[in-house]
Structure formats: C-alpha cells, structure tokens
Amino acid sequence: MRGLGRLIRPFRSRVALRVFLLCVLCSLVPTLVIGVAVYTSIAAAGKEAARAQLQDAAKRYGVVLNERLKDAEIALAGIARRKLAEQWAELSHGESTRLTRVTLTPIKENIDTKLSTPHHEAGAGYIHDESLQFVRHKGRPAPQITLVAAGHDGKGMLASAVIDPDFLWQADLAATVGVELCVWAEGQRLSCSGETIGAEEYISEQWQLFLQSHYGARDWTVVATQPRYFSEAGLATL
C-alpha cells in the first residue's frame, strides 16, 4: 500500500495529472491511427478481392454458355446435314440432351447466292444465317437456334431447335460458394443458378457475352452476385 501511495502522490496535483493523461493519449494516438489505416487497407483489399472473384465467376459462366451455344449449333447442323445426305437423322443420346423441338425443312432452290457468306464448323459442314430467339420450354426461357446447313451440291436444309435449358443454364462448372449467377438479355432475366441471394446489401459484377455478330441477337449479361456480409466475413475476426 505504501508503494502505491508513492506512485499516486505525484499526480495529486491536477496539472500533473493532466500532463500524465496527455502523455498517455499522445502515446495511444499513433497506435490508433496506424490501426485504423491498417484496417481500412485490409477492408479495401478484401472488397477488391471479392469483386475480382465475382468478375471471374461471371466470366467463367459466360465462357461455358458460349461453348454450349456453339456445341448445340454444331449438333443441329450435323443433324441437318445427315438429313441432306438422306442418312439417319434421328437425334442421338448426346444430341437429345442438348436439343429439343427439332424441325428440318428442305430448301428446294439453289442456296449458294441467296444466303450470307457461310462459315465452316468442324464436323458440321457449311452453316449460313444463324439466328437466336427465345421461347418458353419447361417453364423457363430457352433459346431457339435457327440455321441453314448447306451441302456441296447447292442444296440446303433449314434447321431449327430449342436448346434444352437444363443443358444450357447449368452452372456446375462455374459455381462458386455464396455466389448467385444470373443471365439477362433485353431486360429479361433468363436464368439464375447457384446460391439464392436474399440479403438486402450485396455486391455484384458482370460480364458480357457478345452474340450480335454471330446470331444477330442482343448480347447477354452474366451477373455474379454475393451478399456483402459474405464478402466481409473475414473482417469480423480482426
């Protein structure tokens, strides 16, 4: 007790006490400033990393969708060319998982001068005048693809099919924990996969899938969304 009294005795003066408190405060301020600066820097880096992750998820899903569109187009062209060659034109198991409502209409007149400049797809022959529009299938929006497959003799086959939404929209290859992946076109939501976002505050990033030049269709916007609390969960431990 006597030792404690000796420590307190110098601060019985108000001036001395104020000087002591001022010294303590001055020593704490740099620590607080540095702490706030470090926290702010970590928070900014965390948000930037979360947005980069969302951008990557949107891009990966967009690339997958583009590959599936091309896959479905090649499958439809292959069916049309088999019909042109008077071969078996029924859908194989692989084609039936991609396409439905397939219609094939022979073009009687020579098509070489009536269509756009063709391009060649591996395994599908020459393809002209691809187009894309939306219909309802299985209660969901699904793209209907139309094209003309041309033979070497000038004959052609007008082919149309709906791309199965279960095949097209599946996001398993691009899924990320805590992220919802949605596709929009012309203000219409075409599909949402992954986590369902119900949070009031969220962050999102998007990626454009350009379709105008190939299909004459409006571009699709792939949006990846994540609750803000999910991306900031790591800061709660600091």
Side-chain angles (χ1 to χ4, degrees), residues 182-185 190 205-209 219-223:
C182 295
V183 184
W184 294 78
L190 305 179
E205 290 291 332
Q206 63 185 37
W207 190 79
Q208 295 294 123
L209 177 55
D219 299 336
W220 294 357
T221 301
V222 182
V223 182

Side-chain angles (χ1 to χ4, degrees), residues 5-222:
R6 293 194 187 98
L7 290 174
I8 297 176
R9 190 176 303 148
F11 302 110
R12 288 178 179 175
S13 167
R14 290 185 178 181
V15 175
L17 182 59
R18 289 175 181 175
V19 171
F20 172 75
L21 293 177
L22 184 60
C23 292
V24 171
L25 182 61
C26 290
S27 65
L28 292 177
V29 167
T31 302
L32 293 174
V33 170
I34 293 173
V36 170
V38 170
Y39 181 86
T40 302
S41 177
I42 293 175
K47 292 177 181 178
E48 184 177 347
R51 289 193 175 278
Q53 183 185 42
L54 290 176
Q55 178 70 29
D56 180 69
K59 180 178 179 179
R60 283 188 288 112
Y61 189 34
V63 170
V64 168
L65 291 175
N66 188 55
E67 291 175 350
R68 289 173 180 168
L69 285 173
K70 183 180 294 186
D71 189 20
E73 178 184 335
I74 293 174
L76 179 58
I79 297 169
R81 284 181 60 79
R82 292 202 305 268
K83 188 69 172 180
L84 273 175
E86 298 182 353
Q87 298 175 353
W88 178 72
E90 296 296 324
L91 273 65
S92 67
H93 174 71
E95 291 166 343
S96 64
T97 62
R98 294 163 172 77
L99 303 172
T100 186
R101 301 187 196 173
V102 177
T103 60
L104 301 172
T105 306
I107 300 175
K108 296 180 181 180
E109 66 270 20
N110 189 298
I111 65 171
D112 289 342
T113 60
K114 295 181 179 295
L115 299 173
S116 64
T117 302
H119 66 272
H120 185 270
E121 293 284 3
Y126 287 99
I127 304 172
H128 303 256
D129 289 8
E130 303 92 329
S131 64
L132 201 65
Q133 61 182 358
F134 282 95
V135 297
R136 301 289 297 183
H137 183 65
K138 296 182 179 180
R140 305 166 63 186
Q144 182 180 47
I145 187 171
T146 302
L147 56 83
V148 173
H152 296 289
D153 54 2
K155 294 181 180 180
M157 184 70 65
L158 177 64
S160 176
V162 174
I163 302 177
D164 194 306
D166 292 338
F167 162 73
L168 179 62
W169 302 127
Q170 187 177 4
D172 55 336
L173 297 179
T176 303
V177 177
V179 174
E180 181 182 54
L181 294 167
C182 295
V183 184
W184 294 78
E186 301 181 6
Q188 177 186 10
R189 187 177 68 179
L190 305 179
S191 176
C192 280
S193 305
E195 303 286 341
T196 300
I197 306 302
E200 294 183 0
E201 295 187 1
Y202 57 87
I203 58 174
S204 63
E205 290 291 332
Q206 63 185 37
W207 190 79
Q208 295 294 123
L209 177 55
F210 299 106
L211 302 175
Q212 179 67 40
S213 61
H214 191 78
Y215 294 106
R218 293 289 184 88
D219 299 336
W220 294 357
T221 301
V222 182

